Amino acid sequence: MLELALKGSKRYYGWIAFLLVVIGIGSTALIDQWMNGLKITGMSRDVSWGFYISQFTYLVGLAASGVMIVLPNYFHSYKTNKHMVIFGEFMAIAACIMCLLFIVVDIGQPTRMMNMIFHPTPNSILFWDMIVLNGYLFLNLLVGWTCLQADRQHLPHPKWLKPFIYTSIIWAFSIHTVTAFLYQGLPGRHYWLTAILAARFLASAFCSGPAILLLVMMLTEKFTTFKMAKNAVKTLVKIIAYAMCVNMFFFALEIFTSFYSNIPGHMHPIVYLFSHATPGLVTLMWVFIAFAAIAITLLVTPRFRNNYKLLPWTLGILIIATWIDKGLGLLIGGFNPTPFETVTTYWPTLKELMVSMMVYAVGALVVTVLFKIATEVKEEVGHSQTLPCGCSSEDTCECAPEAE
Amino acid sequence: MKNNRRAFIKLAGIAAAGLAVAPKALASSGGHSPVSVNPKAVHAKHWAMVIDTTKLHTAEEIDKLAAVCHHIHNVPKIEGKKEVKWLWHDTYGHSFPEQENPHLAEEVHHRVFPLLCNHCENPPCVRVCPTKATFQRPDGIVAMDYHRCIGCRYCMAGCPYGSRSFNWGEPRLGLDVTKLNPEFPTRMRGVVEKCNFCVERLAVGQQPACVEASEGAMFFGDLKDPDSEVRKVLREKFTIRRKPSAGTEPSVYYII
Ligand code: SF4
Ligand code: SF4
Ligand code: SF4
């Protein structure tokens, strides 16, 4: 099926070329890092993880979130999602690849990476993280590819695949739990030392991940003949709404525990992030709170939730909010205050951002190619195509486009 | 020309490192090569250190010890927040953040304290290391294999005492090549390092360099031996350890 990715419109090739250029530009910073070491980053003795690891953390959420489409389909026989499952799986593949790349660019001696396999160390969570990430990547490749191939040949999905699908659903929860454990079990890092961290990670993943997926799907609709079924979108938006509420509820629990208990170690990171950090970071943290509030308001109000003109903005706001919280604040808050109760500020350098941009561009490239293949197959077999009225061929269309 | 050659050597180095990993890894996971132990080596069930901060508490005194340690271990001098240090000094509040109070005895408040790796009995840095590059020896010393470290810096996030440093750039640029100690290796960039309780000196029957240079302000010995000097001091003097709440059981004790 790979050949489907090779023929495309001028615009498709233009986009691919653009991504390749971005990757090329970013790789100059990476080569610099290989030549000179991680000193080109803003990390330090006190803040030993930075932007790379925080992006990794955020993207594990994206990888895990595909399950929010897959699970209803297989566990609840919610067949409306049927034709979107493949996109969730393909998104997970891209996210896993980005996660692995972020780890590779973050380590100081990438040539020794295989030491993790030659000297397996089950007491290290990083070892398990490697296992679950690679496992999840493999499962999604296997399931996604096999299902799509079967679809293309108008065959039912093979029976032997079932156990892999169910495993992959459970596995999705595990990847984000294990990633949370990476942070959660460290003494002396109060912001992370909380039993609810894994739950927070999952809640945040299950709102931000589907939101990103939905935005990408909307773009896909623009450029292809694919059309999401209305009910599938509705369900997904509801899932996003619930997960975001839970996410912010968990955050509130952290605030209560820290401040009612009045334990300095637990209060310091929060006080730091929301008032003592650099003005830029403090502003961002408050933007997180404001955007989270706006996103929740828009999502829980049916009138706004069902307004598909507004929806992309709502999703965008939600993604920004969760990204600031998990892709930035979580990491910086964990390292500040330092073990000496002092503060060493951290901010990514331009080169660090360039390398990250490169990894994101690789991810975008993988998504583009995989989604291209998927939409081509869907077009071939006539699944979920746009009808002249704008509905999906999966909808029961009464053809009053605004009708609920 | 020169630059090209340097770049080439670097690249060749990277390639060679890649090739070198596989056979080495296989070899080290197998049997043990015959080694003969230095008969003069000193042994203990659990090494521990006691620091008498009533005798050793000025920045100059501590910096002198740090200079000795950093010299014999070829620790690079790097300024700023990417620094590498094995032994250093800090204030009471920074050294014992949980045990501070606003009305601390003035004299203690003005002291500074020598800080180093605590060689914890229950070390989180060992727990989190994915390659066993950080490991605990049977005698309690938390040691590092700089050749195995992949530079993930998980151990730095795990250590609640900030005892570890990472070589963000080429460490040899921070060394005076005319004053290297040929008995101890230098490090490459991209690996973590820290105080090793002078295992290389214990192996030939010597005391840790800082202890030797401290003129009686530091004690080193077997914590499990009731007759050892450290136990004697611990019996007689009031001591505290850093961050007891972290549950790591540091092996470095401070007489206040
Ligand atoms: S002080 Fe830190 S680096 Fe040293 S043994 Fe304890 S946890 Fe490990
Ligand atoms: S940086 Fe090196 S010593 Fe530290 S956890 Fe990673 S592999 Fe282990
Ligand atoms: S015990 Fe040895 S390595 Fe550790 S600080 Fe003292 S001199 Fe340095």
Side-chain angles (χ1 to χ4, degrees):
Chain A
M1 275 186 302
L2 271 175
E3 78 281 357
L4 292 176
L6 288 179
K7 34 184 183 168
S9 62
K10 271 221 176 73
R11 203 164 42 185
Y12 171 71
Y13 276 116
W15 169 242
I16 299 266
F18 168 74
L19 288 178
L20 288 176
V21 170
V22 172
I23 293 171
I25 296 172
S27 60
T28 58
L30 184 59
I31 290 171
D32 185 17
Q33 179 179 309
W34 279 342
M35 288 304 175
N36 296 309
L38 285 161
K39 72 172 173 204
I40 64 145
T41 68
M43 291 183 265
S44 59
R45 196 174 186 279
D46 293 332
V47 184
S48 57
W49 284 341
F51 202 67
Y52 297 154
I53 291 296
S54 63
Q55 296 321 291
F56 152 79
T57 312
Y58 191 72
L59 290 171
V60 174
L62 178 58
S65 69
V67 81
M68 284 295 109
I69 302 181
V70 184
L71 188 142
N73 184 49
Y74 287 102
F75 278 6
H76 303 290
S77 283
Y78 186 71
K79 291 299 167 205
T80 329
N81 275 2
K82 185 167 70 183
H83 293 300
M84 291 195 35
V85 165
I86 186 73
F87 295 103
E89 285 162 347
F90 278 0
M91 187 61 122
I93 292 173
C96 281
I97 290 174
M98 286 191 274
C99 289
L100 293 169
L101 282 177
F102 269 118
I103 293 190
V104 173
V105 299
D106 184 66
I107 61 183
Q109 283 292 331
T111 47
R112 292 185 185 155
M113 212 156 45
M114 296 306 274
N115 278 7
M116 292 206 0
I117 294 160
F118 294 141
H119 310 285
T121 312
N123 50 283
S124 172
I125 302 294
L126 204 55
F127 168 77
W128 292 108
D129 212 41
M130 176 196 67
I131 304 267
V132 290
L133 264 181
N134 283 301
Y136 195 60
L137 178 60
F138 164 78
L139 281 173
N140 277 292
L141 272 172
L142 178 78
V143 172
W145 203 255
T146 316
C147 287
L148 194 64
Q149 220 148 21
D151 280 347
R152 199 182 184 194
Q153 288 152 0
H154 299 276
L155 292 172
H157 295 173
K159 277 236 160 51
W160 59 264
L161 209 57
K162 274 270 154 82
F164 289 101
I165 293 172
Y166 290 124
T167 314
S168 86
I169 292 173
I170 314 278
W171 204 284
F173 288 87
S174 86
I175 64 168
H176 220 27
T177 307
V178 172
T179 307
F181 284 177
L182 217 53
Y183 291 89
Q184 202 171 320
L186 303 179
R189 308 275 174 200
H190 296 290
Y191 197 44
W192 302 339
L193 192 66
T194 157
I196 210 176
L197 196 68
R200 276 184 69 195
F201 270 34
L202 285 170
S204 143
F206 293 154
C207 58
S208 65
I212 294 173
L213 182 64
L214 211 49
L215 274 187
V216 177
M217 294 302 302
M218 288 173 181
L219 285 176
T220 310
E221 282 184 342
K222 265 218 161 85
F223 295 122
T224 66
T225 55
F226 178 78
K227 183 85 192 161
M228 291 184 274
K230 274 210 182 113
N231 280 333
V233 178
K234 252 194 194 159
T235 316
L236 207 52
V237 175
K238 270 187 205 141
I239 291 175
I240 296 172
Y242 277 116
M244 185 61 181
C245 293
V246 173
N247 185 28
M248 291 314 288
F249 172 64
F250 285 168
F251 183 73
L253 294 185
E254 294 277 22
I255 303 283
F256 173 81
T257 311
S258 303
F259 288 92
Y260 194 79
S261 71
N262 199 36
I263 293 178
H266 290 273
M267 296 189 291
H268 285 165
I270 301 172
V271 173
Y272 172 74
L273 286 174
F274 285 95
S275 75
H276 294 336
T278 50
L281 184 58
V282 171
T283 316
L284 276 180
M285 291 311 291
W286 286 104
V287 167
F288 149 54
I289 297 292
F291 276 22
I294 299 174
I296 288 182
T297 316
L298 293 180
L299 282 171
V300 296
T301 321
R303 193 153 51 90
F304 297 135
R305 182 174 63 223
N306 295 327
N307 179 338
Y308 291 129
K309 285 243 154 45
L310 190 62
L311 190 59
W313 299 99
T314 313
L315 297 177
I317 289 171
L318 183 142
I319 293 166
I320 294 171
T322 50
W323 183 84
I324 297 172
D325 175 30
K326 206 164 120 200
L328 204 63
L330 178 92
L331 188 119
I332 298 182
F335 280 112
N336 279 316
T338 68
F340 312 103
E341 304 278 318
T342 57
V343 160
T344 308
T345 49
Y346 166 78
W347 200 249
T349 61
L350 181 67
K351 287 178 183 167
E352 223 171 333
L353 294 176
M354 279 170 68
V355 173
S356 309
M357 178 186 77
M358 182 198 81
V359 177
Y360 273 111
V362 172
L365 189 66
V366 175
V367 166
T368 308
V369 168
L370 289 179
F371 277 31
K372 169 88 169 35
I373 295 174
T375 47
E376 291 273 329
V377 171
K378 300 246 175 233
E379 194 175 336
E380 260 179 47
V381 296
H383 284 158
S384 299
Q385 297 300 296
T386 334
L387 299 175
C389 55
C391 297
S392 167
S393 53
E394 306 302 320
D395 288 327
T396 37
C397 164
E398 282 137 25
C399 258
E402 285 312 311
E404 274 294 327
Chain B
M1 181 62 208
K2 213 173 135 209
N3 262 336
N4 276 342
R5 240 186 62 179
R6 269 183 55 130
F8 170 74
I9 292 172
K10 265 189 191 164
L11 267 177
I14 293 175
L19 286 176
V21 168
K24 219 189 326 184
L26 290 177
S28 63
S29 57
H32 299 280
S33 53
V35 280
S36 52
V37 177
N38 185 320
K40 278 193 279 179
V42 280
H43 303 280
K45 283 216 182 68
H46 189 96
W47 289 112
M49 183 184 274
V50 183
I51 302 174
D52 189 344
T53 66
T54 61
K55 292 189 195 142
L56 173 69
H57 53 70
T58 64
E60 299 79 62
E61 287 168 325
I62 297 167
D63 289 349
K64 225 164 54 204
L65 304 187
V68 173
C69 169
H70 289 184
H71 169 251
I72 65 164
H73 294 112
N74 297 323
V75 177
K77 211 181 240 69
I78 291 154
E79 297 295 329
K81 56 184 192 177
K82 290 188 167 63
E83 67 187 326
V84 176
K85 52 189 181 185
W86 287 24
L87 175 61
W88 69 101
H89 69 260
D90 212 333
T91 60
Y92 183 87
H94 291 173
S95 309
F96 306 95
E98 290 166 347
Q99 296 155 79
E100 208 191 5
N101 72 56
H103 309 294
L104 201 63
E106 204 143 301
E107 185 262 327
V108 175
H109 190 75
H110 287 122
R111 276 186 212 168
V112 291
F113 296 78
L115 301 182
L116 65 160
C117 167
N118 291 294
H119 297 273
C120 306
E121 284 177 39
N122 183 9
C125 55
V126 172
R127 189 156 63 232
V128 298
C129 178
T131 61
K132 305 191 187 83
T134 297
F135 58 97
Q136 191 171 32
R137 304 184 352 145
D139 61 6
I141 293 181
V142 175
M144 272 206 66
D145 181 346
Y146 307 114
H147 301 283
R148 190 184 279 192
C149 173
I150 59 172
C152 63
R153 308 184 301 290
Y154 198 2
C155 52
M156 297 174 81
C159 172
Y161 307 96
S163 298
R164 302 181 146 250
S165 311
F166 182 69
N167 288 293
W168 299 97
E170 173 59 52
R172 285 148 199 157
L173 296 178
L175 288 170
D176 181 350
V177 277
T178 58
K179 297 205 189 95
L180 285 185
N181 172 17
E183 315 249 294
F184 200 82
T186 57
R187 266 75 62 195
M188 69 201 314
R189 69 155 201 254
V191 301
V192 164
E193 59 179 81
K194 68 169 190 73
C195 153
N196 66 352
F197 255 13
C198 286
V199 278
E200 79 284 1
R201 291 172 62 90
L202 299 174
V204 294
Q206 292 172 319
Q207 289 270 297
C210 56
V211 176
E212 199 176 278
S214 72
E215 292 164 8
M218 290 162 93
F219 309 92
F220 195 74
D222 191 349
L223 195 65
K224 295 281 154 71
D225 172 9
D227 301 322
S228 70
E229 203 183 359
V230 286
R231 283 288 292 274
K232 194 173 141 255
V233 192
L234 288 176
R235 244 191 322 268
E236 288 166 0
K237 295 279 170 70
F238 172 71
T239 49
I240 59 172
R241 292 185 288 176
R242 295 176 68 196
K243 284 217 186 124
S245 69
T248 64
E249 303 288 341
S251 303
V252 175
Y253 295 74
Y254 293 85
I255 298 173
I256 300 299

